[in-house]
Amino acid sequence: MTTGQGSMTTAPAPRRSPEAEPAVPRELEQPPAHFTNRTEQLELLDRLLDGPRDRPVVQVICGLGGIGKSALARQWVHRVRGRFPRGQLYADLGAFNATGPTDTGELLKRFLEAFGIDGKKQPAGLDELKALYRTETAGRPLLVVLDDAVSSEQVAPLIPAAPGSIVVVTSRFRLGGLRASHGARRIDLTKFEHGHGIQLLTAIVDDERTDEVTSHLTKMVTFCDGLPIALHVLGVKLANQPHLSAARAASQLERLRLAALADQKENLSVTSTFDLSYQDLSPEAARLYRALGLHPGPEFGLGAATGAAGRSLDDTEALLGELVQSGLLEVHKERFGFHDLVRMHAEDKAAADPAEADAARRRILEWYLRAARRTEDTLTVPDQDRIPYEFGDRGPDPESLPGNDDALPWLERERPNLIAAIQTADEHELPELAWQLAAAMWPLFLLRKHYRDFLTVSQLGVKCAERWGNPSAKALMLNRSGAACRGAGRFDEAIGYYTAAKEALADGGDLAIAIRSMEGLGLVALAQDRVDDALTHFEEDLAYARRLERAHDVNLALVNLGVTLVKAGRAAEAVDHLEQAKSLLDAQGDEYNRARAQIDLGRALAHDERFDEARTQVEAALATMESAGSAFEQARAIHALGDVAKLAGDIAEAKSRYEAALPIYTELNRPEAKPLAEELRSFA
């Protein structure tokens, strides 16, 4: 009733008649017919029974739409329903109903009716309904399933008051508010493993098409990527169409993609399942979702997402949070990714607006180019003049790009994405951008080798340069193809690439690129112990670099000549060349190549019987290469310390150093591994 001051007093809650027995609701749905696996999650749910008895226990099961949240909840509550004789409640909270989520007040009224309180005797106000529900549930531990919740606020009033009650909530959202307010536990449900996918599909179809694990069955299950709703829809479709062979069904999936995962008669569609979450996104998050569907690799970081969004780092992080909260995007240790079928859905949404898709794809690819160039500026002194590229936008948030300390780890981490970016640019007829991406990976291959990827990227770079029509770009990538083959010990192929690079420049282009061709031919000759040929190539290289006034290339030629002179038995001359190169590289700020010169200077000094000076040079070089993260050059330095020890007569030290270097060479698949292993056997 209302007082004269306008304040409100609460009327006593209505009661059922004294003679009426409290109703005991038994509302739980039946368990799924073909429930599969989820052993680990069922064990986690079983632990709820041993949880605290001083308050209700809330368990949230969240995940992507169609991942099997409701099936898991139904399976588990059916197993334990006998422990709750005072009542079991179920409600569909309708997160994605066409008319909106189910009203909390309506849900409270229905639950109270289940307890035997007639709707006409229930209070009208929401607060009064909440109070009556708490009163009715205070003395009766209940098992409650709240399916498809949209928010913590929707769920909280439906949690019964009695200690010992268990509430299982399913949602595509993470419902972190329930963790804060009610100490809710959470299970993030993930996809099936392949074998469990076969098990589920076989159980639904149950005929000769799934009697044996054929290649067609494997293809179908692989396409569904462990998503239970996809396997369910496919199983229903096969069951309804006995004429549809496994081979034909697999072919449809490959051609029609998500459109093949639908059965109109049964009103089943994987696309519709994803559409519910997509349509709930804000316009900005939906735009980012479409853009990320075009990302070239399977996972990505915040930086690449910022490039895709074309927004600030903070704005992008908020939008990613919305996508993760919706269940459409997965996250693990700051790396984001889509389920395979969700990615197809995002791609399909992006394809509806080709202009927007092209712009988003270019933003992503150009972000990777900017990021890779940032690492290039940090990690190396350029050995070639950079071929200019005109970016199509104003550039991403600078904070999204890798920092100096993370440059090499970033390249290593993003290696699959960078290679995929090159391939994507090539596939979408962006040869110049594809080539630029290939060129920007140079620091990774210089420091970490990865010869197979190095050759793949370089060969693709050659192809893109030809399509672009740039002879300098083609020659540069031919040289890098040669470097990849040389590093892997494929010397004849290397010679072919280096020779082709020189020929590509015959009709024009940056003649300085020919320096790398001469250098490469010399390095191959040196590796093959053709010392006189190596001297000829390096002397030509040195003269050409001086003629073009390329100071840095002059220094590199001096290093290579020094190494070759040691092999030729001219150690004193080698020391002169290497000391000169070391000083000049130091002045140029090229720590990496200065350390390379020091390794070879150490060997030359040892051959000149200046052992203490030799160790000093090589140990300093080893420290630099450890800091740079170059495993190969570390192995070279350790190998050189072994050579110094051997020449000084300390065989035990030499053996120890060789044993340390050999595994690194072997892991990198370097040609130095075989002769070093033979050297170690000779000690035995």
Side-chain angles (χ1 to χ4, degrees):
M1 61 182 294
T2 305
T3 69
Q5 300 298 318
S7 62
M8 185 72 71
T9 60
T10 303
R15 303 285 182 178
R16 64 176 65 82
S17 59
E19 67 276 6
E21 289 291 331
V24 179
R26 298 279 189 268
E27 298 186 345
L28 300 181
E29 294 188 330
Q30 288 296 309
H34 303 298
F35 186 78
T36 304
N37 189 36
R38 303 301 191 197
T39 303
E40 179 183 343
Q41 290 79 12
L42 289 170
E43 290 174 354
L44 288 173
L45 291 170
D46 284 341
R47 295 177 195 172
L48 298 178
L49 301 171
D50 302 321
R53 312 303 293 180
D54 59 340
R55 56 182 171 81
V57 175
V58 181
Q59 174 69 63
V60 176
I61 303 173
C62 63
L64 172 66
I67 201 69
K69 303 178 292 294
S70 298
L72 174 61
R74 287 163 54 196
Q75 179 73 9
W76 184 75
V77 297
H78 184 76
R79 287 173 28 164
V80 302
R81 67 192 187 284
R83 292 178 178 245
F84 297 88
R86 304 293 300 278
Q88 303 138 27
L89 296 171
Y90 171 87
D92 180 355
L93 274 59
F96 297 99
N97 284 351
T99 56
T102 309
D103 178 71
T104 300
E106 291 302 316
L107 292 166
L108 286 168
K109 288 179 182 180
R110 196 176 69 68
F111 279 175
L112 290 169
E113 286 179 356
F115 293 143
I117 300 176
D118 188 274
K120 296 177 182 178
K121 297 181 180 181
Q122 295 179 15
L126 180 59
D127 287 341
E128 289 82 1
L129 283 169
K130 292 178 182 178
L132 181 56
Y133 180 67
R134 290 194 296 269
T135 299
E136 287 295 318
T137 61
R140 56 194 303 174
L142 299 170
L143 179 60
V144 182
V145 177
L146 303 175
D147 204 9
D148 200 21
V150 73
S151 68
S152 301
E153 184 180 19
Q154 184 191 31
V155 169
L158 305 174
I159 297 172
S165 296
I166 292 180
V167 182
V168 180
V169 185
T170 72
S171 180
R172 300 190 188 195
F173 306 102
R174 297 175 67 80
L175 305 185
L178 288 178
R179 175 67 182 170
S181 62
H182 290 79
R185 309 176 188 192
R186 185 172 68 232
I187 291 175
D188 294 296
L189 212 54
T190 56
K191 64 186 182 180
F192 282 160
E193 294 180 0
H194 184 79
H196 297 130
I198 287 180
Q199 183 181 341
L200 176 57
L201 187 60
T202 299
I204 297 172
V205 178
D206 193 27
D207 63 23
E208 68 278 0
R209 290 172 293 181
T210 57
D211 282 347
E212 297 181 3
V213 181
T214 64
S215 62
H216 304 305
L217 177 59
T218 297
K219 285 179 182 177
M220 288 189 287
V221 173
T222 299
F223 183 90
C224 293
D225 192 27
L227 186 66
I229 186 65
L231 294 159
H232 177 81
V233 172
L234 180 59
V236 169
K237 181 176 179 177
L238 288 167
N240 284 340
Q241 301 183 39
H243 61 282
L244 182 62
S245 69
R248 181 68 177 162
S251 174
Q252 284 184 0
L253 289 171
E254 188 173 336
R255 289 184 295 104
L256 303 178
R257 301 182 7 133
L258 286 180
L261 289 174
D263 189 295
Q264 302 305 323
K265 288 285 187 183
E266 302 278 358
N267 196 28
L268 291 173
S269 166
V270 172
T271 295
S272 297
T273 298
F274 296 158
D275 279 346
L276 293 174
S277 294
Y278 173 72
Q279 290 160 3
D280 193 55
L281 297 173
S282 67
E284 295 81 6
R287 176 176 176 269
L288 179 57
Y289 174 74
R290 296 190 297 271
L292 292 175
L294 305 172
H295 182 270
E299 63 170 29
F300 49 87
L302 174 59
T306 301
R311 300 169 69 100
S312 72
L313 197 72
D314 290 340
D315 286 351
T316 303
E317 195 160 22
L319 294 174
L320 288 172
E322 184 178 345
L323 292 174
V324 170
Q325 170 73 331
S326 74
L328 289 170
L329 190 64
E330 300 168 357
V331 60
H332 180 65
K333 294 183 178 179
E334 299 185 344
R335 302 291 289 178
F336 300 90
F338 290 114
H339 183 280
D340 284 355
L341 297 182
V342 178
R343 181 188 178 93
M344 289 183 192
H345 181 262
E347 287 176 350
D348 289 347
K349 295 299 180 186
D353 187 337
E356 180 190 89
D358 288 344
R361 186 180 296 108
R362 184 179 281 272
R363 281 197 306 273
I364 294 169
L365 298 177
E366 289 190 347
W367 182 87
Y368 274 109
L369 177 57
R370 290 181 192 272
R373 281 188 166 188
R374 170 75 70 89
T375 68
E376 192 175 19
D377 294 339
T378 300
L379 295 171
T380 61
V381 173
D383 64 345
Q384 303 287 168
D385 295 332
R386 181 177 283 168
I387 297 177
Y389 176 78
E390 185 174 343
F391 288 90
D393 61 16
R394 56 183 172 79
D397 185 335
E399 291 298 314
S400 72
L401 300 173
N404 292 351
D405 293 340
D406 191 42
L408 188 55
W410 182 90
L411 277 172
E412 191 68 78
R413 186 168 58 248
E414 301 295 345
R415 174 164 51 112
N417 284 335
L418 287 165
I419 294 172
I422 297 166
Q423 294 166 336
T424 298
D426 179 47
E427 289 165 3
H428 287 86
E429 299 183 358
L430 299 169
E432 180 185 4
L433 180 51
W435 184 92
Q436 293 283 355
L437 284 161
M441 290 188 72
W442 167 244
L444 176 66
F445 299 135
L446 175 67
L447 296 172
R448 292 287 175 85
K449 306 313 177 187
H450 297 301
Y451 291 119
R452 182 177 299 173
D453 286 347
F454 188 9
L455 184 56
T456 296
V457 167
S458 301
Q459 289 173 330
L460 189 52
V462 172
K463 171 188 169 186
C464 292
E466 288 175 340
R467 290 178 60 193
W468 178 19
N470 188 316
S472 296
K474 178 180 177 181
L476 192 150
M477 281 299 163
L478 285 166
N479 278 336
R480 291 189 179 171
S481 299
C485 290
R486 175 175 54 81
R490 295 159 59 175
F491 298 127
D492 289 345
E493 292 174 73
I495 291 171
Y497 280 119
Y498 287 129
T499 302
K502 291 178 72 174
E503 292 171 353
L505 295 168
D507 297 327
D510 183 358
L511 297 180
I513 295 172
I515 293 172
R516 295 282 82 76
S517 309
M518 300 171 196
E519 175 190 77
L521 290 167
L523 290 169
V524 171
L526 188 62
Q528 294 178 318
D529 287 326
R530 294 186 286 110
V531 176
D532 289 343
D533 289 343
L535 282 171
T536 299
H537 287 303
F538 290 138
E539 285 167 352
E540 179 189 13
D541 177 13
L542 178 60
Y544 197 69
R546 282 175 169 160
R547 180 155 60 87
L548 295 180
E549 299 182 343
R550 305 273 301 183
H552 188 255
D553 292 318
V554 167
N555 299 334
L556 297 180
L558 288 171
V559 172
N560 291 324
L561 270 172
V563 174
T564 311
L565 288 168
V566 171
K567 277 202 170 187
R570 296 154 61 182
E573 291 178 66
V575 168
D576 289 341
H577 281 77
L578 290 163
E579 284 184 334
Q580 182 183 356
K582 174 200 159 190
S583 297
L584 293 170
L585 288 165
D586 197 27
Q588 291 176 340
D590 187 351
E591 294 184 359
Y592 175 82
N593 281 303
R594 181 204 65 202
R596 286 184 60 239
Q598 285 180 290
I599 294 170
D600 295 309
L601 176 58
R603 279 199 173 99
L605 289 166
H607 278 276
D608 207 28
E609 300 186 356
R610 296 157 64 179
F611 302 116
D612 289 341
E613 294 175 71
R615 291 189 192 93
T616 298
Q617 293 295 332
V618 181
E619 286 169 355
L622 178 57
T624 299
M625 292 307 183
E626 286 173 344
S627 177
S630 174
F632 169 63
E633 293 296 344
Q634 289 174 54
R636 273 215 324 132
I638 296 167
H639 189 173
L641 287 170
D643 289 347
V644 172
K646 180 182 175 184
L647 289 167
D650 190 344
I651 301 303
E653 171 70 9
K655 184 172 181 289
S656 174
R657 296 291 190 177
Y658 291 163
E659 286 173 341
L662 181 58
I664 305 175
Y665 284 147
T666 302
E667 183 178 353
L668 295 173
N669 198 29
R670 287 289 307 189
E672 291 87 346
K674 183 177 179 181
L676 186 58
E678 292 172 353
E679 181 88 8
L680 278 167
R681 283 194 292 273
S682 73
F683 288 161

